[in-house]
Amino acid sequence: MRKAAALAAATAVFAAAVLARQRLREAKRWARAGAALRDLEARCAAPAERLRQVADAMAAEMRAGLASDDSEGGDGSVALKMLVTYVDSLPSGDEKGLFYALDLGGTNFRVLRVQLGGKEKRIIKQKSKGVSIPQHLMSGGSDELFNFIAAALAKFVASEGEEYHLPEGMQRQLGFTFSFPVKQTSIASGTLIKWTKGFTIDEMVGMDVVAELNKAIRRQGLDMKVTALINDTVGTLAAAKYVDNDAIAAVILGTGTNAAYIDHAHTIPKWHGPLPKSGDMVINMEWGNFRSSHLPLTEFDQALDAESLNPGEQIYEKLISGMCMGEIVRRILLKMAQEDSLFADNYVPPKLESPYVLSTLHMLMMHQDTTPDLKTVGIKLKEILGIESTCYKTRKVVVGICEVVARRAARLAAAGVYGILKKLRRDTVGPDEQRTVIAVDGGVYKYYTLFAQCMESTLRELLGEEVASSVVIKQAEDGSGTGAALLAASYSQCLQDEFST
């Protein structure tokens, strides 16, 4: 009996010692994870003073880009291309009639028609149709691709009912959103610099994309022509201006990011043409390529950039876009799994080593998990990374990482907007207390609520309450479609006005 009791006591002591060691090991593991998260927070910190430096750098790069004729970037000395869009007349709300848009941004395109009723009725009705581009047309010839697009336009026009009205003898006007790099030479012409997004039609490089589309439209026997060539950011600004005359800039925060704004034509050194009647010019910033020593970069960002298809380029975009935020979170999780045993001792989930397996959509779903035990985080870790079970502490760390990456991105996006306002001298209280509207579109802004809230509160912090009260961030809708049709209408009106004077 004594031996049994002694054995039991010894076993209990041993078990207690093992448990104590396990608890100590666990405590050390969580201490390491906590320290790693705090270190990440410190390195990603974007305090107001730093953001003001970023904004100053953005404004300085804007001025440099406006002075440089090197619109294609050249030796890379000018980060922002600041492309002159030739859009000097934005929709006023007076536009009337039936107008069309073609939105070509990737492996699909949309055709759209809009019936406008002027100031009283605005957009009376609109309809759109999406079309997939067959794979073989993405690497075939120019004529084949544009014939396919023009045929879809002709079919779309043929399907019109009595409710859409085009005045007798009037040619159909088309706004063309072309989301590939082009060097624009007028409001309705632009040569292709290079294809992206899987297109490889080499013969098209250096050709005028509008001329090619117009020729294909004529081959279809369709009485239609392109009135305006734009990108989606300019379209977003046009759509915003149509409903709010105080709109002065548009920002896309989606898979990628960009911004466009209205500047005074006489302040653009590289503009050599006659000053437009409006005195204004829309500038496509291509702000994703912004870079500055003030940006809070980590080794995760540097590794992502080095392994990308365009190392050294699009640094700002790689910090704030939907394409990259989820991937940054994945890289952080991988390091914490390897070095801090985040998920378990010596356990690195194999799927976590796959680049881009964790999207920004996954990230926002985990970050915005409001369940008491962060159940959604656990489900996503299992679905995406194959981690069977996680404790609350692990989930809490994952949410913390998402918070750090999203907060940095949102605050940097706000600094970019602040930079535009500084360039336009709208960062102080003016004598007339002018109202300033910034239109924002893109999935990150629309669906990542915590990102949008942080971006807006950061801009208020940078501006100060007095100035912030006159600056409005508005969610925009369908700039790439409706905005293109509205610009076709605007320029059709301009042409009519010219002929009548």
Side-chain angles (χ1 to χ4, degrees):
M1 289 291 290
R2 285 183 197 160
K3 284 185 180 180
L7 183 59
T11 302
V13 170
F14 178 74
V18 169
L19 184 61
R21 282 198 296 273
Q22 286 176 338
R23 285 175 176 167
L24 181 60
R25 195 161 56 244
E26 281 292 293
K28 286 181 177 178
R29 185 160 77 91
W30 291 118
R32 288 198 305 273
L37 183 56
R38 287 191 297 275
D39 179 58
L40 180 71
E41 287 172 344
R43 286 182 291 140
C44 290
E49 190 50 48
R50 186 168 200 167
L51 294 179
R52 288 191 174 91
Q53 292 173 322
V54 170
D56 287 340
M58 177 74 79
E61 285 289 344
M62 290 171 72
R63 287 188 285 271
L66 290 172
S68 170
D69 277 320
D70 183 14
S71 63
E72 294 180 31
D75 61 5
S77 58
V78 178
L80 298 184
K81 294 179 183 178
M82 303 299 287
L83 301 174
V84 174
T85 66
Y86 294 84
V87 174
D88 56 22
S89 175
L90 287 165
S92 64
D94 293 324
E95 293 81 8
K96 292 183 179 180
L98 180 60
F99 298 92
Y100 298 81
L102 167 64
D103 179 9
L104 176 60
T107 55
N108 301 286
F109 65 88
R110 279 191 312 145
V111 289
L112 180 137
R113 70 172 76 89
V114 180
Q115 185 84 43
L116 301 174
K119 279 264 195 292
E120 297 287 316
K121 297 179 180 177
R122 294 287 171 154
I123 296 176
I124 299 171
K125 59 175 71 73
Q126 68 180 52
K127 187 171 183 179
S128 66
K129 181 175 175 57
V131 182
S132 292
I133 299 174
Q135 188 71 36
H136 70 276
L137 292 181
M138 295 170 64
S139 57
S142 166
D143 286 354
E144 288 87 343
L145 174 64
F146 283 105
N147 284 343
F148 179 79
I149 293 169
L153 276 167
K155 187 177 179 182
F156 188 63
V157 168
S159 70
E160 281 169 15
E162 289 296 316
E163 72 272 22
Y164 290 97
H165 303 287
L166 188 71
E168 191 71 30
M170 185 170 176
Q171 187 179 37
R172 288 178 170 84
Q173 308 290 315
L174 177 74
F176 184 16
T177 303
F178 186 72
S179 298
F180 299 88
V182 290
K183 184 174 183 179
Q184 207 146 343
T185 48
S186 75
I187 182 59
S189 62
T191 56
L192 178 67
I193 296 171
K194 64 177 179 179
W195 285 108
T196 56
K197 305 171 189 176
F199 284 80
T200 55
I201 307 172
D202 293 339
E203 68 181 27
M204 269 297 297
V205 175
M207 293 174 67
D208 184 342
V209 295
V210 172
E212 293 304 301
L213 178 58
N214 279 334
K215 283 191 286 187
I217 288 171
R218 287 196 295 272
R219 287 194 292 267
Q220 287 291 327
L222 186 59
D223 191 18
M224 176 186 279
K225 73 170 183 179
V226 176
T227 311
L229 172 67
I230 63 167
N231 77 351
D232 56 353
T233 319
V234 175
T236 298
L237 180 53
K241 188 79 170 176
Y242 184 70
V243 296
D244 193 324
N245 197 49
D246 292 327
I248 57 99
V251 175
I252 303 291
L253 290 164
T255 304
T257 184
N258 193 15
Y261 74 102
I262 305 168
D263 210 335
H264 302 297
H266 72 269
T267 68
I268 305 171
K270 69 181 177 184
W271 174 251
H272 303 303
L275 288 178
K277 286 182 183 178
S278 67
D280 294 329
M281 181 64 69
V282 175
I283 299 295
N284 167 19
M285 290 177 63
E286 292 293 335
W287 84 350
N289 200 45
F290 172 67
R291 55 182 179 268
S292 165
S293 60
H294 301 298
L295 294 172
L297 295 169
T298 67
E299 75 267 27
F300 306 107
D301 308 300
Q302 290 159 346
L304 182 149
D305 175 51
E307 295 167 25
S308 69
L309 295 173
N310 54 348
E313 299 177 17
Q314 301 296 109
I315 300 301
Y316 189 54
E317 183 170 70
K318 287 167 184 171
L319 287 170
I320 71 173
S321 71
M323 182 176 62
C324 296
M325 279 194 288
E327 172 63 5
I328 294 167
V329 170
R330 181 198 70 84
R331 288 170 179 267
I332 296 166
L333 288 173
L334 177 59
K335 185 180 180 186
M336 289 184 71
Q338 292 169 335
E339 298 185 5
D340 306 306
S341 300
L342 177 61
F343 298 107
D345 278 341
N346 303 315
Y347 174 60
V348 177
K351 289 184 179 179
L352 191 54
E353 301 190 58
S354 302
Y356 294 92
V357 70
L358 186 71
S359 71
T360 301
L361 177 60
H362 298 140
M363 171 188 170
L364 78 84
M365 291 173 76
M366 294 191 294
H367 187 189
Q368 297 181 169
D369 184 0
T370 56
T371 59
D373 59 350
L374 299 177
K375 184 179 179 182
T376 301
V377 177
I379 292 169
K380 289 296 153 194
L381 291 173
K382 183 176 180 179
E383 284 179 356
I384 304 153
L385 302 176
I387 304 169
E388 282 301 320
S389 63
T390 49
C391 67
Y392 177 77
K393 283 185 177 180
T394 298
R395 298 174 193 179
K396 190 76 173 169
V397 170
V398 171
V399 171
I401 293 167
C402 295
E403 163 69 24
V404 169
V405 173
R407 179 178 172 80
R408 179 185 66 169
R411 288 181 68 81
L412 289 175
V417 174
Y418 186 47
I420 295 174
L421 296 176
K422 286 179 80 73
K423 164 66 177 70
L424 297 176
R425 296 182 180 176
R426 287 181 178 240
D427 59 320
T428 56
V429 179
D432 55 354
E433 294 187 6
Q434 59 191 346
R435 182 170 171 270
T436 299
V437 174
I438 311 292
V440 186
D441 198 6
V444 170
Y445 183 80
K446 279 201 276 193
Y447 304 118
Y448 206 151
T449 308
L450 294 177
F451 178 101
Q453 290 172 347
C454 180
M455 176 183 164
E456 290 167 20
S457 64
T458 302
L459 187 59
R460 284 196 301 273
E461 177 188 353
L462 293 172
L463 289 168
E465 286 302 324
E466 190 177 8
V467 180
S469 64
S470 64
V471 176
V472 181
I473 293 184
K474 265 191 175 182
Q475 184 174 313
E477 292 293 339
D478 191 27
S480 58
T482 306
L486 289 169
L487 277 168
S490 179
Y491 275 86
S492 173
Q493 186 67 51
C494 286
L495 289 172
Q496 289 176 32
D497 292 345
E498 283 179 23
F499 286 126
S500 62
T501 53

